[in-house]
């Protein structure tokens, strides 16, 4: 499997962070961007929180633009400006589970979910336990947090 170098990871994460800035601010949700990149370095899909539905998460929006079972996902990387969620309301599948079901083997994040809405997000842990490679880019955490300043500085970062 082709693995992007750090410069490519940073470039794609900046794209995801740019998408997060497009999110309509919501008092009860993070503004997150996600980009799915094929093994050959081309963008397969992108999305952001609340793009088409007020309850939609970024990874959900991006994955929803691709056919279920798309074979390119087996070698793809998903870039999410925030750790994929591990828990949602009963009628919504958590994003970490969606990534596992899609078969994406590599996830890159900018920051871990703080305990503002969920006290114990374990998205990274679930992905790693399932054999997914997870890369964190802490140097872009501040940039990823910027679209979330409406939630209050005391809860971010």
């Amino acid at each position: 499997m082709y693995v992007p170098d750090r410069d490519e990871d940073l470039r794609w994460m900046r794209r995801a962070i740019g998408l997060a800035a497009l999110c309509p601010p919501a008092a009860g949700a993070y503004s997150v961007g996600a980009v799915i990149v094929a093994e050959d370095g081309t963008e397969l899909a992108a999305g952001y929180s609340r793009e088409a539905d007020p309850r939609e998460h970024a990874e959900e929006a991006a994955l929803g633009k691709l056919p279920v079972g798309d074979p390119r996902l087996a070698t793809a990387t998903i870039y999410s400006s925030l750790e994929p969620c591990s828990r949602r309301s009963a009628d919504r599948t958590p994003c970490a589970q969606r990534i596992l079901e899609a078969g994406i083997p590599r996830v890159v994040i900018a920051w871990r979910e703080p305990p503002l809405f969920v006290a114990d997000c374990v998205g990274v842990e679930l992905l790693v336990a399932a054999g997914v490679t997870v890369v964190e880019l802490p140097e872009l955490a501040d940039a990823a947090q910027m679209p979330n300043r409406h939630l209050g500085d005391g809860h971010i970062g």
Side-chain angles (χ1 to χ4, degrees):
M1 178 178 82
Y2 168 76
V3 177
D5 64 24
R6 191 150 186 92
D7 287 343
E8 288 178 272
D9 280 345
L10 292 168
R11 180 172 63 87
W12 285 113
M13 184 57 69
R14 286 185 187 99
R15 165 109 169 91
I17 292 167
L19 290 166
L22 299 175
C23 297
Y30 293 107
S31 294
V32 180
V35 183
I36 303 170
V37 178
E39 184 175 27
D40 66 3
T42 59
E43 183 175 313
L44 295 176
Y48 56 89
S49 303
R50 300 174 295 288
E51 182 176 351
D53 172 327
R55 296 177 62 213
E56 187 174 48
H57 286 195
E59 300 93 335
E60 181 180 10
L63 284 165
K65 294 173 183 168
L66 295 171
V68 174
D70 188 322
R72 299 172 296 175
L73 294 173
T75 54
T77 296
I78 186 167
Y79 294 84
S80 180
S81 60
L82 178 68
E83 172 181 17
C85 67
S86 59
R87 192 171 49 185
R88 289 181 78 178
S89 60
D91 64 333
R92 303 292 265 216
T93 302
C95 293
Q97 184 61 40
R98 288 176 187 274
I99 290 166
L100 292 174
E101 289 171 2
I104 297 174
R106 187 169 185 270
V107 177
V108 181
I109 64 168
W111 61 304
R112 299 274 189 121
E113 183 174 334
L116 179 58
F117 303 118
V118 175
D120 58 345
C121 180
V122 292
V124 166
E125 291 79 2
L126 290 172
L127 293 166
V128 169
V132 173
T133 299
V134 178
V135 176
E136 191 170 352
L137 301 174
E139 62 267 44
L140 292 180
D142 286 345
Q145 292 166 16
M146 288 303 292
N148 294 285
R149 292 295 183 214
H150 66 281
L151 296 172
D153 288 336
H155 299 292
I156 304 299

